[in-house]
């Protein structure tokens, strides 16, 4: 069932399949629907893949996003939590 808050459902689903969090995918999809996909695609910077980050870097990001229990998580658990928050 489509989410009425998502303005570009096709882009949202593609981003989720690529590993973007729900929040990030929604933000990008809605911005693309408003401003056009081309303008949104040229804006962002380059971020490291989660797999390339250290556990300390992943924990810091989890802390920024208010993910609970991050201090006891292993790297794969942190990655999963960050992608699915």
């Amino acid at each position: 069932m489509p989410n009425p808050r998502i303005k570009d459902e096709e882009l949202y689903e593609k981003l989720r399949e690529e590993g973007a969090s729900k929040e990030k995918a929604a933000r990008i999809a809605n911005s693309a629907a408003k401003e056009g996909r081309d303008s949104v695609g040229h804006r962002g910077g380059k971020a490291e893949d989660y797999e390339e980050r250290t556990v300390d870097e992943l924990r810091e990001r989890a802390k920024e996003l208010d993910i609970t229990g991050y201090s006891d998580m292993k790297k794969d658990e942190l990655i999963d939590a960050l992608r699915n928050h």
Side-chain angles (χ1 to χ4, degrees):
M1 179 173 193
N3 185 333
R5 294 181 289 179
I6 305 297
K7 305 303 180 207
D8 187 335
E9 192 74 33
E10 179 183 343
L11 180 58
Y12 173 82
E13 291 301 327
K14 180 178 182 247
L15 292 166
R16 289 292 291 144
E17 289 171 6
E18 292 174 355
S21 69
K22 291 177 183 179
E23 178 184 347
K24 181 177 180 179
R27 187 172 58 246
I28 293 170
N30 289 342
S31 183
K34 180 179 179 184
E35 301 171 27
R37 286 186 182 187
D38 286 341
S39 67
V40 173
H42 295 288
R43 245 195 271 156
K46 293 284 183 185
E48 292 179 39
D49 289 333
Y50 285 140
E51 288 79 10
E52 303 297 320
R53 296 184 187 189
T54 65
V55 172
D56 287 338
E57 290 171 329
L58 294 170
R59 285 185 177 146
E60 183 63 32
R61 183 65 179 141
K63 181 179 179 181
E64 292 170 1
L65 297 173
D66 294 323
I67 295 173
T68 59
Y70 66 87
S71 61
D72 295 324
M73 292 181 187
K74 295 180 182 176
K75 186 171 184 170
D76 59 333
E77 295 169 323
L78 283 163
I79 292 170
D80 184 59
L82 288 165
R83 286 191 173 140
N84 296 301
H85 80 281

